Amino acid sequence: MASPDKVLNIGVIGTGIFATGTHLPNLQKIPQQFKVVACSNRTKSKAETFATKANISSDKIYESYDDLINDKDVDVIDALLPVENNAMIVEKAIKAGKAIAIEKPIANNLENAKKLVQLAQNTSVPVLVLENWLYHTATEVIKPKLKEIGTIIGFNFKSTGPFYAENKYLKTSWRAKPNHIGGYLSDGGVHQLAYLVELLGEAETISAHTTQVREQSGTDDVWFSTLKMKSGAIGTFTYGSAFGAVDKSRQFVIYGDKGSVVFDFSPANPKPFVKCSYGVTGENIKTETIEIEEKDSTNGIVSEFKNFHEATVSNDKSLLKCKPTIAFHHLAIVDAALKSSANGGSSVKVESI
Ligand SMILES: NC(=O)c1ccc[n+]([C@@H]2O[C@H](COP(=O)([O-])OP(=O)(O)OC[C@H]3O[C@@H](n4cnc5c(N)ncnc54)[C@H](OP(=O)(O)O)[C@@H]3O)[C@@H](O)[C@H]2O)c1
């Protein structure tokens, strides 16, 4: 086991929008945990831009990710490739004995997701899926409140918003012609599903309809559905940012037999808030509203990297919060929703691993 104070040398593969604009500045905020020492990108000029910002020496800019993975000065890998590459890059990192963090969704389809889960299960090398919403403070605040509203009967989860033609992600060719199931519905959908599953447990079946509103999305971009959870709770899940003008709205209402919890995390709110109502009937309702102070102002990015560091220096993959099995379930819900929609909205069982 390495010292908990060890600074890990991290190599970044895929120096695109999110690596340069989000991972790098956040890794630079935690120099006690990570030093960005190498990078690799298919288009070298982008790796060079990243290297300048990261202060990486020119001999550590790689065109081939194999060379980066095998660099003896690189301790761990951070990969931000189109997700169809995740299983392949994880296999290479494990072969080199190096812990790896990959961006969400876990893979482009369930077959590759299964392969990745198996690779991670058969090694002691930590493999973290970077689903940053799992690191939000909100779920910690809501979990104890759910215990106070009795048996959870149902829920409505809604995350909807207008289409933005200037969205920077529309310019990425792999999103315009998606080779990953669900396109934007899995890209952003797994974030929403992380909240749903973290708070209410795994889903059992889903009946969904999806549709494509915008040509730029490459595939279906709006999703309406009903779910049955393994707990027995029933509810709705609605997701899409392809509508015409409408306020961006994110609300998760959870109904119990002794009360309810409303979590509103619409971006227009000054802060996300939770409104809890307690009472077996409507006659005697006690309410409590809690504004959520996010402990991590980086949208969970710093927290997930600290988690990656902790698991790696302890050589204990059980410490990872978003294990591949958890990320698998999120993608499996997307997969089942798409199969349901293709079959006229029939009830489809969510695949388990
Ligand atoms: N957690 C979040 O909130 C969040 C937000 C945004 C993105 N992400 C994730 O971050 C990852 C990157 O997304 P992004 O928006 O940064 O996309 P991006 O700008 O397109 O970056 C992807 C990078 O991968 C490289 N690449 C593309 N296809 C490749 C291939 N076949 N072989 C080798 N390299 C290839 C690209 O190289 P070129 O320069 O040659 O094209 C590019 O630098 C994705 O997994 C995405 O889901 C997560």
Side-chain angles (χ1 to χ4, degrees):
M1 192 172 91
S3 151
D5 300 328
K6 182 175 162 56
V7 177
L8 296 172
N9 285 342
I10 191 162
V12 177
I13 296 177
T15 56
I17 300 171
F18 206 56
T20 311
T22 302
H23 278 208
L24 176 59
N26 285 308
L27 285 165
Q28 287 172 327
K29 284 181 188 147
I30 44 172
Q32 291 89 352
Q33 280 85 19
F34 292 103
K35 181 170 186 218
V36 183
V37 296
C39 63
S40 142
N41 196 56
R42 187 176 61 177
T43 306
K44 199 175 177 192
S45 59
K46 276 204 223 165
E48 285 165 347
T49 305
F50 181 93
T52 305
K53 291 187 177 178
N55 214 7
I56 292 171
S57 59
S58 56
D59 60 321
K60 299 288 182 191
I61 304 173
Y62 294 109
E63 275 172 272
S64 144
Y65 38 66
D66 289 303
D67 291 343
L68 180 142
I69 290 169
N70 294 319
D71 181 333
K72 61 177 177 20
D73 294 332
V74 170
D75 299 321
V76 298
I77 314 293
D78 176 26
L80 301 94
L81 296 170
V83 293
E84 66 212 62
N85 302 286
N86 279 354
M88 170 276 295
I89 211 84
V90 163
E91 189 166 17
K92 286 176 187 287
I94 291 173
K95 215 170 182 180
K98 296 185 182 179
I100 179 162
I102 48 163
E103 265 300 340
K104 46 63 14 190
I106 181 171
N108 61 325
N109 57 40
L110 279 200
E111 195 187 333
N112 276 329
K114 268 182 210 159
K115 185 179 170 191
L116 198 152
V117 167
Q118 278 152 10
L119 286 165
Q121 279 173 340
N122 293 333
T123 179
S124 61
V125 172
V127 176
L128 176 64
V129 185
L130 297 167
E131 284 201 21
N132 46 307
W133 284 31
L134 275 178
Y135 295 83
H136 287 175
T137 310
T139 48
E140 281 172 38
V141 174
I142 297 167
K143 269 184 194 170
K145 301 296 168 193
L146 293 182
K147 295 204 173 90
E148 296 179 42
I149 63 164
T151 303
I152 306 298
I153 301 158
F155 61 91
N156 291 135
F157 187 109
K158 178 178 92 90
S159 177
T160 49
F163 181 74
Y164 288 99
E166 294 304 316
N167 180 342
K168 61 187 173 189
Y169 295 121
L170 286 174
K171 295 186 178 76
T172 53
S173 56
W174 62 276
R175 286 189 178 91
K177 288 201 173 95
N179 191 18
H180 51 292
I181 58 165
Y184 284 93
L185 295 182
S186 61
D187 194 337
V190 294
H191 285 314
Q192 326 297 320
L193 292 164
Y195 272 162
L196 178 73
V197 175
E198 180 74 359
L199 290 172
L200 298 187
E202 292 198 342
E204 189 167 85
T205 56
I206 187 164
S207 308
H209 287 286
T210 63
T211 190
Q212 181 169 0
V213 183
R214 305 286 171 172
E215 197 187 336
Q216 296 95 315
S217 304
T219 185
D220 286 3
D221 47 16
V222 161
W223 164 359
F224 286 77
S225 57
T226 54
L227 286 114
K228 181 160 187 219
M229 309 304 278
K230 286 186 179 169
S231 68
I234 52 175
T236 63
F237 179 88
T238 304
Y239 177 56
S241 291
F243 301 104
V246 64
D247 286 338
K248 205 166 172 64
S249 164
R250 292 171 173 167
Q251 203 184 53
F252 189 7
V253 185
I254 302 170
Y255 305 94
D257 58 358
K258 292 182 181 153
S260 62
V261 167
V262 177
F263 171 38
D264 196 311
F265 55 116
S266 303
N269 297 338
K271 284 184 185 156
F273 67 87
V274 182
K275 183 179 172 198
C276 307
S277 303
Y278 307 112
V280 176
T281 66
E283 280 86 8
N284 281 307
I285 301 177
K286 283 192 186 142
T287 61
E288 172 190 26
T289 302
I290 308 158
E291 277 202 334
I292 294 175
E293 299 285 347
E294 274 299 329
K295 286 186 220 149
D296 177 353
S297 63
T298 69
N299 198 15
I301 306 288
V302 159
S303 301
E304 64 187 357
F305 276 114
K306 282 188 174 171
N307 181 218
F308 184 48
H309 180 271
E310 183 192 19
T312 305
V313 294
S314 316
N315 195 21
D316 182 357
K317 65 180 184 175
S318 75
L319 297 174
L320 295 171
K321 191 160 170 74
C322 192
K323 297 176 181 63
T325 43
I326 292 173
F328 177 89
H329 185 65
H330 302 158
L331 190 68
I333 298 174
V334 178
D335 180 71
L338 296 170
K339 284 178 178 151
S340 167
S341 182
N343 200 24
S346 63
S347 177
V348 171
K349 201 168 177 350
V350 176
E351 259 199 60
S352 46
I353 191 147

Coordinates of all heavy atoms in Angstrom, one line a residue, residues 14-19 41-43 46 65 79-86 103-105 130-133 169 172-175 187 191 299 301 304, ligand 1:
G14 N -7.0 11.7 -24.4 CA -8.2 12.3 -25.0 C -8.3 13.7 -24.4 O -9.1 14.0 -23.5
T15 N -7.6 14.6 -25.0 CA -7.5 16.0 -24.5 C -8.5 16.9 -25.2 O -8.1 17.9 -25.8 CB -6.1 16.6 -24.6 OG1 -5.7 16.5 -25.9 CG2 -5.1 15.8 -23.7
G16 N -9.8 16.5 -25.2 CA -10.8 17.3 -25.8 C -11.4 18.3 -24.9 O -10.7 18.8 -24.0
I17 N -12.7 18.6 -25.1 CA -13.4 19.7 -24.4 C -13.3 19.5 -22.9 O -13.0 20.4 -22.1 CB -14.9 19.8 -24.8 CG1 -15.0 20.1 -26.3 CG2 -15.6 20.9 -24.1 CD1 -16.4 20.0 -26.9
F18 N -13.7 18.3 -22.5 CA -13.9 18.1 -21.0 C -12.6 17.9 -20.3 O -12.4 18.4 -19.2 CB -14.8 16.9 -20.8 CG -15.6 17.0 -19.5 CD1 -16.4 18.1 -19.2 CD2 -15.5 15.9 -18.6 CE1 -17.1 18.1 -17.9 CE2 -16.1 16.0 -17.3 CZ -16.9 17.1 -17.0
A19 N -11.6 17.3 -21.0 CA -10.3 17.2 -20.4 C -9.6 18.5 -20.2 O -9.1 18.8 -19.1 CB -9.4 16.3 -21.3
N41 N -3.3 12.5 -27.4 CA -4.5 12.8 -28.2 C -4.3 12.4 -29.6 O -3.2 12.5 -30.2 CB -4.9 14.2 -28.1 CG -6.4 14.4 -28.5 OD1 -7.3 13.8 -28.0 ND2 -6.6 15.3 -29.5
R42 N -5.4 12.0 -30.3 CA -5.3 11.6 -31.7 C -4.8 12.8 -32.5 O -3.9 12.6 -33.3 CB -6.7 11.1 -32.1 CG -6.8 10.5 -33.5 CD -8.2 10.0 -33.8 NE -9.1 11.1 -33.7 CZ -10.4 10.9 -34.0 NH1 -10.9 9.7 -34.3 NH2 -11.3 12.0 -33.9
T43 N -5.4 13.9 -32.3 CA -5.0 15.1 -33.0 C -3.9 15.8 -32.1 O -4.3 16.3 -31.0 CB -6.2 16.1 -33.3 OG1 -7.2 15.4 -34.0 CG2 -5.7 17.3 -34.1
K46 N -4.1 19.4 -30.3 CA -4.9 19.5 -29.1 C -4.2 19.0 -27.8 O -4.3 19.6 -26.7 CB -6.2 18.7 -29.2 CG -7.3 19.4 -29.9 CD -8.6 18.8 -29.5 CE -9.6 18.6 -30.7 NZ -10.7 17.8 -30.4
Y65 N -1.9 6.4 -27.3 CA -2.2 6.2 -25.9 C -1.4 5.0 -25.3 O -1.2 4.9 -24.1 CB -3.7 6.1 -25.6 CG -4.5 5.3 -26.6 CD1 -4.4 4.0 -26.8 CD2 -5.5 6.0 -27.3 CE1 -5.2 3.3 -27.7 CE2 -6.3 5.3 -28.2 CZ -6.1 4.0 -28.4 OH -6.9 3.3 -29.3
A79 N -9.0 8.7 -18.7 CA -9.3 8.6 -20.1 C -10.6 9.3 -20.4 O -11.7 9.0 -19.7 CB -9.4 7.1 -20.5
L80 N -10.6 10.2 -21.4 CA -11.8 10.9 -21.8 C -12.0 10.8 -23.3 O -12.0 11.7 -24.0 CB -11.7 12.4 -21.5 CG -11.5 12.8 -20.0 CD1 -10.0 13.0 -19.7 CD2 -12.2 14.1 -19.7
L81 N -12.2 9.5 -23.7 CA -12.4 9.2 -25.1 C -13.9 9.0 -25.4 O -14.7 8.8 -24.4 CB -11.7 7.9 -25.5 CG -10.2 8.0 -25.4 CD1 -9.6 6.6 -25.5 CD2 -9.6 8.9 -26.4
P82 N -14.4 9.1 -26.6 CA -15.7 8.6 -26.9 C -15.9 7.3 -26.2 O -15.0 6.4 -26.3 CB -15.8 8.6 -28.4 CG -14.8 9.6 -28.8 CD -13.7 9.5 -27.8
V83 N -17.1 7.0 -25.6 CA -17.2 5.9 -24.7 C -17.1 4.5 -25.3 O -16.9 3.5 -24.6 CB -18.5 6.0 -23.8 CG1 -18.4 7.2 -22.9 CG2 -19.7 6.1 -24.7
E84 N -17.2 4.5 -26.6 CA -17.0 3.2 -27.3 C -15.6 2.6 -27.1 O -15.3 1.4 -27.3 CB -17.3 3.3 -28.8 CG -16.3 4.1 -29.5 CD -16.9 4.9 -30.7 OE1 -17.8 5.7 -30.5 OE2 -16.5 4.6 -31.8
N85 N -14.7 3.5 -26.6 CA -13.3 3.1 -26.4 C -13.0 2.7 -24.9 O -11.9 2.3 -24.6 CB -12.3 4.3 -26.7 CG -12.5 4.7 -28.2 OD1 -12.0 4.0 -29.1 ND2 -13.1 5.8 -28.4
N86 N -14.0 2.9 -24.1 CA -13.7 2.7 -22.6 C -13.2 1.3 -22.3 O -12.2 1.1 -21.6 CB -15.0 3.0 -21.8 CG -15.1 4.5 -21.6 OD1 -14.3 5.3 -21.9 ND2 -16.2 4.9 -21.0
E103 N -14.5 8.2 -18.3 CA -15.7 9.1 -18.3 C -17.0 8.3 -18.6 O -16.9 7.2 -19.2 CB -15.6 10.2 -19.3 CG -15.1 11.5 -18.7 CD -16.0 12.1 -17.5 OE1 -17.2 11.7 -17.5 OE2 -15.5 12.9 -16.7
K104 N -18.1 8.8 -18.1 CA -19.4 8.2 -18.3 C -19.9 8.4 -19.7 O -19.4 9.3 -20.3 CB -20.4 8.6 -17.3 CG -20.5 10.1 -17.0 CD -20.8 11.2 -18.0 CE -21.5 11.2 -19.2 NZ -21.5 12.4 -20.0
P105 N -20.9 7.7 -20.2 CA -21.4 6.4 -19.6 C -20.4 5.3 -19.7 O -19.4 5.4 -20.4 CB -22.6 6.1 -20.5 CG -22.8 7.2 -21.4 CD -21.6 8.0 -21.4
L130 N -16.4 7.8 -14.0 CA -16.5 9.2 -13.4 C -18.0 9.7 -13.6 O -18.3 10.5 -14.6 CB -15.5 10.1 -14.1 CG -14.1 9.8 -13.9 CD1 -13.1 10.5 -14.8 CD2 -13.7 10.0 -12.4
E131 N -18.9 9.3 -12.8 CA -20.2 9.8 -12.8 C -20.3 10.8 -11.6 O -20.7 10.5 -10.5 CB -21.3 8.7 -12.6 CG -21.5 7.9 -13.8 CD -22.8 7.1 -13.8 OE1 -23.7 7.5 -13.1 OE2 -22.9 6.1 -14.5
N132 N -19.9 12.0 -12.0 CA -19.7 13.0 -10.9 C -20.9 13.4 -10.1 O -20.8 13.8 -8.9 CB -19.1 14.3 -11.5 CG -19.8 14.8 -12.8 OD1 -19.9 14.0 -13.7 ND2 -20.1 16.0 -12.8
W133 N -22.1 13.2 -10.6 CA -23.3 13.5 -9.8 C -23.4 12.6 -8.6 O -24.1 13.0 -7.6 CB -24.6 13.4 -10.7 CG -24.8 14.5 -11.7 CD1 -23.8 15.2 -12.3 CD2 -26.0 15.0 -12.1 NE1 -24.4 16.2 -13.1 CE2 -25.8 16.1 -13.1 CE3 -27.4 14.7 -11.9 CZ2 -26.8 16.8 -13.7 CZ3 -28.4 15.4 -12.5 CH2 -28.1 16.5 -13.4
Y169 N -21.0 20.9 -27.1 CA -20.9 19.4 -27.3 C -21.5 19.0 -28.7 O -21.1 17.9 -29.2 CB -21.6 18.6 -26.2 CG -20.9 18.9 -24.8 CD1 -21.5 19.4 -23.7 CD2 -19.5 18.5 -24.7 CE1 -20.9 19.6 -22.5 CE2 -18.8 18.8 -23.5 CZ -19.5 19.3 -22.4 OH -18.9 19.5 -21.2
T172 N -19.0 18.0 -31.4 CA -18.1 16.8 -31.4 C -18.8 15.7 -32.3 O -19.9 15.4 -32.2 CB -18.0 16.2 -29.9 OG1 -19.3 16.0 -29.4 CG2 -17.2 17.2 -29.0
S173 N -17.9 15.3 -33.3 CA -18.5 14.4 -34.3 C -19.0 13.1 -33.8 O -20.0 12.6 -34.3 CB -17.4 14.1 -35.4 OG -16.3 13.6 -34.7
W174 N -18.4 12.6 -32.7 CA -18.9 11.3 -32.2 C -20.2 11.4 -31.5 O -21.0 10.4 -31.4 CB -17.8 10.7 -31.2 CG -17.6 11.5 -30.0 CD1 -16.7 12.6 -29.8 CD2 -18.1 11.3 -28.7 NE1 -16.7 13.1 -28.6 CE2 -17.6 12.3 -27.8 CE3 -19.1 10.4 -28.1 CZ2 -17.9 12.5 -26.5 CZ3 -19.4 10.6 -26.8 CH2 -18.9 11.6 -26.0
R175 N -20.6 12.6 -31.1 CA -22.0 12.8 -30.6 C -23.0 13.0 -31.7 O -24.1 12.6 -31.6 CB -22.0 14.0 -29.6 CG -21.4 13.7 -28.2 CD -21.7 14.9 -27.3 NE -21.1 14.7 -26.0 CZ -19.9 15.1 -25.6 NH1 -19.1 15.7 -26.4 NH2 -19.5 14.9 -24.3
D187 N -25.8 9.9 -22.7 CA -24.7 10.8 -22.3 C -25.0 11.6 -21.1 O -24.3 11.6 -20.1 CB -24.5 11.8 -23.5 CG -23.3 12.7 -23.5 OD1 -22.7 12.8 -22.4 OD2 -22.9 13.2 -24.6
H191 N -26.5 10.6 -15.6 CA -26.3 11.5 -14.5 C -27.7 11.5 -13.7 O -27.7 11.4 -12.5 CB -26.1 13.0 -14.9 CG -24.6 13.2 -15.4 ND1 -23.5 12.8 -14.7 CD2 -24.1 13.9 -16.5 CE1 -22.5 13.2 -15.3 NE2 -22.8 13.8 -16.4
N299 N -18.9 20.6 -9.0 CA -19.9 19.7 -9.6 C -19.4 18.2 -9.4 O -19.7 17.3 -10.2 CB -20.1 20.0 -11.1 CG -21.3 19.4 -11.6 OD1 -22.2 18.9 -10.9 ND2 -21.4 19.2 -13.0
I301 N -16.4 17.0 -9.3 CA -15.2 16.5 -10.1 C -14.0 16.3 -9.1 O -13.4 15.3 -9.1 CB -14.8 17.5 -11.2 CG1 -16.0 17.8 -12.1 CG2 -13.6 17.0 -12.0 CD1 -16.4 16.7 -13.1
E304 N -14.6 13.2 -7.0 CA -14.4 11.9 -7.6 C -12.9 11.6 -7.8 O -12.5 10.5 -7.6 CB -15.2 11.8 -8.9 CG -14.8 12.7 -10.0 CD -15.8 12.7 -11.2 OE1 -16.7 11.9 -11.3 OE2 -15.5 13.5 -12.2
Ligands
LIG1 N1 -19.1 14.1 -16.6 C1 -19.5 15.0 -17.4 O1 -20.3 15.8 -17.0 C2 -19.0 15.0 -18.8 C3 -19.1 16.2 -19.5 C4 -18.6 16.2 -20.8 C5 -18.0 15.1 -21.3 N2 -17.9 14.0 -20.6 C6 -17.2 12.8 -21.1 O2 -15.9 13.1 -21.5 C7 -15.5 12.4 -22.6 C8 -14.9 13.3 -23.7 O3 -16.0 14.2 -24.0 P1 -15.7 15.6 -24.7 O4 -16.9 16.4 -24.6 O5 -14.4 16.2 -24.1 O6 -15.4 15.2 -26.2 P2 -14.3 15.6 -27.2 O7 -13.9 17.0 -27.1 O8 -14.7 15.1 -28.6 O9 -13.0 14.8 -26.7 C9 -12.8 13.4 -27.1 C10 -11.4 13.2 -27.4 O10 -11.2 11.9 -27.8 C11 -10.4 11.8 -29.0 N3 -10.9 10.8 -29.9 C12 -12.1 10.7 -30.6 N4 -12.2 9.6 -31.2 C13 -11.1 8.9 -31.0 C14 -10.6 7.6 -31.4 N5 -11.4 6.8 -32.2 N6 -9.4 7.2 -31.0 C15 -8.7 8.0 -30.2 N7 -9.1 9.2 -29.8 C16 -10.3 9.7 -30.2 C17 -10.6 13.2 -29.7 O11 -9.5 13.4 -30.4 P3 -9.5 14.4 -31.7 O12 -9.0 15.7 -31.1 O13 -8.6 13.8 -32.7 O14 -10.9 14.5 -32.2 C18 -10.9 14.1 -28.5 O15 -9.7 14.8 -28.1 C19 -16.7 11.5 -23.0 O16 -16.6 10.3 -22.5 C20 -17.9 12.3 -22.4 O17 -18.9 11.4 -22.1 C21 -18.3 13.9 -19.3

